[in-house]
Every structure is written in structure tokens, then in C-alpha cells.
Amino acid sequence: MTNESIKQRDLDIIWHPCTQMKDHEFLPMIPIKKGYGVYLEDFDGNKYIDAISSWWVNIFGHTNPYINEKIKDQLDTLEHVIMAGFTQEPIVRLSERLVEMTPEGLDKCFYADNGSSAVEIALKMSYHYNRNIGKEKPIFLSLKNSYHGETMGALAVGDVEIYKETYGPLLLESIQTMVPKDQSIAAADEAALELEKILIERAHEISAFIVEPLIQGAGSMHMYDPHYLKRARELCDKYDIHLIADEIMVGFGRTGTMFAVEQADITPDYLCLSKALTGGYLPLSVVLTTNKIYGAFYCDYSQQKSFLDSHSYTGNALACAAANATLDIFENDNIIEENEKKSAYMLKKLDRFRSLKNVGNIRQCGMISALDLQGYDSSERIGLKVYQYALKNGVLLRPLGPVIYFMSPYTITYEEIDKMMDVAYEAIMTL
Ligand SMILES: *Cc1c(COP(=O)(O)O)cnc(C)c1O
């Protein structure tokens, strides 16, 4: 088998996500044969450093021996069981650990099998909570430039131009408020002021405010200061609306702390987790919430206040085993501390880009670094050129338009960081 033969079979029958399929008339499809550490290897033997953690999910490398072993153990014990009326040990253990490691006050875990579903759950739960206590609050508030997934409810609270244009008529009503324009405290205060203006007028009809804490991922890796989250928490309390922290991308160490909200020292009413939860192995998501919210659904069956949400693969036992193995690695290997050193090293490496005239807005938060290519027309598809150059040179970068970012598994070595960033530098030099 070669890249070419598999590529042909693929293009005959598979419709890929987030892809204009016609692009594959000139862009190669890359069939991956195997993965190990930060590397992906194709059928022709080419190796690529996975600088985007395979869509932001992988943190401890591909085919990590420890996670592999734990999944294999689970595989011979129990692969899956219905989560209504039944339970299993891996999910109980995982839930105990999540409650223990997340901010004080998050005491209940509700599971699903992907990030968008976790967002849907938080939105529905917040609306339903209000309904159960006799309030009708059908509107959600979110940040401009936000991304929360691609199912209908998640799309409705997101603010990505192309989705809004295309699916707008199908989406429920939501309001967007200003996101802090940069990582300064002044920008955080300015945006908090705007938030309060909206809440003064409309809090009575808003169930919840949903945010991506510290980094808006799909929104071009836009970063802001934890001070904004502190202010948002205060304002949500003052105007009596829920705060949903969508940590689907930033959770599990991406921002430098285990969870981004820790940097603001706040507890959200809902914490949505997925992506790195299983180390990037298997689909799983969870919404953590408070006993107070749980309590508003807890009553005699006849009162019909139960929460209504279920998915066939909710809380899959293999995925929970992968998640437990992932948490083991955090506990055993001093990951957050090691990451601090790698993050500082990457920041230093970013210096080299500062002298380039076509590069601006160089930024970093924890294990994510990003920069903008400036002065290009969007029709030039400048990010695509960087993507192609990097692939030819053994690095999988996947720019968001003109924004180049580095978000590798944490297991990347210093030499591999050099290679990843040097190839990006060369790619920009050849533009
Ligand atoms: C990826 C992502 C989602 C959606 O998760 P899926 O598993 O892709 O549905 C939601 N919110 C944020 C912030 C994300 O990065």
C-alpha cells in the first residue's frame, strides 16, 4: 500500500470534515499508517511532527505505551455498558478524580461523547434549571469571535462568520458581547464594562453566559487576561445568570494550569471538558456542575423535572479508562511543571519571528503559541502555503487563515520544538 493508492480509494467515497473537497485536486490527502510520540508516519514512510495535536486532542503522544496498556486492560474486562440504570468502575473513579481536581464547588459529572454535546448539555441544563425554578430564560450570551462546536445549539452561541452566514436562519437566539481585545488588564476591564451594560438590560431573559476561558481557539487563538474571567464571574453572580466555562480546548494544561479558570480563581456553574480528557484517544466529554443545580432537578418522578439528554455512547468504559490513564500521567510525571519549561523555551524561540515584517501579534499562553501573518489578501490563502511548505518538511501545521500556531503534544522534546518552529520560520521566509 502506498499513499497514492489509499488516497484514490479515499477520495472515491469519503467526504471529509472542514474541507472543500475540490481542494484535493491539488492538495495531497495524506494517509497515515502509524503514530508514535509526536510523530505521524504515512504509507510512503514520511514522518510529520504533529504540531496541532491532531485537532487539539493529543497531549501525551500517539500510541502512548501507558495509555495503550490501560485501554487494553479495560478492553478485556468491559468495553461499554448503558449508562441509564447501570454504571461501571472506570467512570466512577474518573468522576471522583475530576471533582477532586476541578475548582471547589463542582460536584456532579454529566457525560456525553464529544465536545459539542457537552456544550449542548450545559445550555439545556441551564435553561432547564431556570424552568424548574419557575423562570423563563430562553436566551444565551457569548463572546464575539467565540467557537463552541458545530451542532445547532453550539453553533448558535458561537460567533464564526461563515457559520452564521450559512446556518443563521436555523439557529436559536443568542447575544454576543465584546471579547477583550488583547491580553492587557485594560482590555479585560473594557470588555467587562460592555458585559455589564448588556446584563443590566437583558439579564432577566438570559440563562447563561458561555466563554472559552483565556484562549478562543477556533477564533484564531485569540488570548485575553484571567482578570476578565474574574469580572465575568462577579457580574454573572450580580445579575443572577450562570457562567459556562467551555474548557474543551484549554482544559488539561493547555493554558499552563490544569484548568484555565484556576488562573482567575473562579468556579463556573458548568465546566465543559473533552478533547484532551482521554489523552486524545477516544471520544468522551463531561460537564461538571454544582450540587445546587443538580438539586433543582432532584424530585419525585411525577413532577417531571428530570434532565433530558442521552447519547448511546455516553460514558464509554474504554474512553473512561483512557481518561483515567491520562490523569495518572499528570499525577506521576510532573507534567504542569515540565510544561512551564517548554513553554518558556518556545517563547524564546518566538523571538526570531519578531524581526519579520510580515509577522505580528506574537502571543503565547501556556502550551499554545501563535502569530499572525500580515499584509496578505484572504484570496492568497497564505496559511495554506505555510501548511504545504511545512508538510514537505516534516511538520503538520494547520494555520487558521493567516494565523500560525503551535500546539503540540506535551511530550514534544526540545529538539522537536526546534524543528517545528524552524520549519515554520523557513516557511514564512519563503512566502
Ligand atoms: C473543539 C471544541 C468544541 C467542540 O468539540 P467537538 O468534540 O469537536 O464537538 C467546543 N468548544 C471548543 C472551545 C472547542 O475547541
Side-chain angles (χ1 to χ4, degrees):
M1 275 185 284
T2 62
N3 280 2
E4 194 55 34
S5 65
I6 296 174
K7 173 188 157 181
Q8 268 322 317
R9 283 163 57 199
D10 175 294
L11 291 177
D12 281 345
I13 48 161
I14 300 179
W15 191 349
H16 288 260
C18 203
T19 301
Q20 170 47 259
M21 292 304 295
K22 191 164 190 294
D23 278 357
H24 282 300
E25 288 179 10
F26 68 91
L27 265 188
M29 165 74 55
I30 302 180
I32 293 301
K33 182 178 180 185
K34 55 186 178 183
Y36 42 90
V38 296
Y39 291 101
L40 295 167
E41 187 176 317
D42 69 20
F43 280 79
D44 293 347
N46 301 305
K47 289 169 27 174
Y48 311 91
I49 292 180
D50 187 355
I52 58 159
S53 297
S54 282
W55 252 346
W56 314 347
V57 298
N58 191 296
I59 51 176
F60 296 135
H62 294 279
T63 54
N64 180 292
Y66 183 79
I67 303 176
N68 283 10
E69 180 195 315
K70 293 295 175 180
I71 296 174
K72 284 175 192 164
D73 287 349
Q74 184 59 39
L75 192 56
D76 286 331
T77 312
L78 173 73
E79 80 301 338
H80 184 64
V81 65
I82 177 174
M83 274 304 293
F86 290 79
T87 193
Q88 10 104 359
E89 200 274 337
I91 202 167
V92 174
R93 194 160 115 74
L94 175 61
S95 307
E96 287 167 351
R97 299 172 89 179
L98 289 172
V99 165
E100 175 66 31
M101 70 196 287
T102 52
E104 189 71 34
L106 294 170
D107 291 317
K108 290 288 185 289
C109 301
F110 195 102
Y111 286 87
D113 52 27
N114 66 85
S116 302
S117 292
V119 169
E120 302 280 339
I121 286 164
L123 298 174
K124 282 166 68 185
M125 213 178 251
S126 181
Y127 171 78
H128 199 161
Y129 166 87
N130 280 295
R131 190 183 143 91
N132 280 356
I133 62 167
K135 291 185 190 166
E136 178 60 23
K137 293 178 130 196
I139 293 181
F140 296 100
L141 178 62
S142 63
L143 288 174
K144 289 205 169 111
N145 189 48
S146 58
Y147 176 88
H148 295 290
E150 305 196 19
T151 52
M152 298 286 220
L155 268 188
V157 291
D159 186 40
V160 181
E161 193 67 39
I162 189 166
Y163 292 115
K164 287 231 146 159
E165 262 170 35
T166 312
Y167 301 114
L170 303 182
L171 305 178
L172 53 95
E173 189 180 342
S174 72
I175 310 168
Q176 276 68 53
T177 180
M178 167 188 209
V179 61
K181 67 175 186 294
D182 55 36
Q183 287 172 289
S184 69
I185 302 275
D189 275 325
E190 181 193 21
L193 222 68
E194 280 299 304
L195 172 60
E196 181 153 30
K197 275 189 206 157
I198 290 175
L199 292 180
I200 287 171
E201 276 195 17
R202 303 194 64 176
H204 63 281
E205 53 183 345
I206 296 171
S207 275
F209 178 34
I210 179 167
V211 298
E212 291 162 90
L214 303 189
I215 309 174
Q216 293 186 313
S220 299
M221 298 297 163
H222 181 73
M223 300 175 185
Y224 61 88
D225 190 88
H227 180 63
Y228 181 73
L229 296 174
K230 245 191 176 49
R231 295 287 294 124
R233 177 70 276 181
E234 286 163 13
L235 291 169
C236 286
D237 285 341
K238 181 170 172 192
Y239 293 94
D240 196 24
I241 69 168
H242 287 152
L243 179 63
I244 303 171
D246 174 355
E247 293 219 17
I248 290 165
M249 182 197 81
V250 296
F252 301 100
R254 283 288 180 197
T255 65
T257 45
M258 186 57 100
F259 300 105
V261 289
E262 288 171 27
Q263 294 184 41
D265 198 18
I266 59 162
T267 301
D269 299 285
Y270 306 90
L271 178 67
C272 302
L273 302 172
S274 185
K275 291 200 165 100
L277 171 61
T278 62
Y281 266 68
L282 287 159
L284 183 72
S285 64
V286 60
V287 179
L288 284 106
T289 190
T290 64
N291 278 330
K292 180 182 176 195
I293 288 164
Y294 176 79
F297 293 84
Y298 197 86
C299 61
D300 290 331
Y301 182 77
S302 58
Q303 283 182 275
Q304 302 195 340
K305 286 185 173 181
S306 323
F307 186 51
L308 307 171
D309 192 279
S310 58
H311 302 282
S312 323
Y313 282 101
T314 287
N316 175 266
L318 290 172
C320 290
N324 277 316
T326 300
L327 297 188
D328 290 345
I329 295 175
F330 272 109
E331 279 175 17
N332 299 336
D333 293 359
N334 253 340
I335 299 299
I336 298 288
E337 248 169 67
E338 284 305 311
N339 280 358
E340 250 170 62
K341 292 179 212 154
K342 283 181 187 169
S343 171
Y345 184 75
M346 283 191 252
L347 188 62
K348 237 177 39 218
K349 295 261 334 171
L350 281 173
D351 269 341
R352 196 173 168 205
F353 293 84
R354 291 184 201 276
S355 59
L356 299 178
K357 275 205 286 298
N358 53 350
V359 170
N361 194 16
I362 295 174
R363 56 202 181 277
Q364 189 195 54
C365 179
M367 293 300 281
I368 302 179
S369 305
L371 53 87
D372 296 356
L373 295 175
Q374 294 174 338
Y376 299 95
D377 194 83
S378 68
S379 64
E380 290 178 75
R381 300 184 77 180
I382 200 70
L384 194 63
K385 289 179 186 158
V386 171
Y387 170 79
Q388 287 178 286
Y389 180 94
L391 269 185
K392 278 209 190 82
N393 290 279
V395 180
L396 165 53
L397 292 171
R398 199 169 187 281
L400 294 154
V403 176
I404 298 178
Y405 67 92
F406 306 98
M407 186 175 174
S408 70
Y410 305 159
T411 47
I412 192 167
T413 64
Y414 289 89
E415 295 81 60
E416 287 158 353
I417 291 173
D418 286 345
K419 160 115 194 199
M420 170 176 81
M421 294 179 86
D422 290 348
V423 165
Y425 183 82
E426 288 159 22
I428 295 170
M429 291 298 285
T430 55
L431 288 176

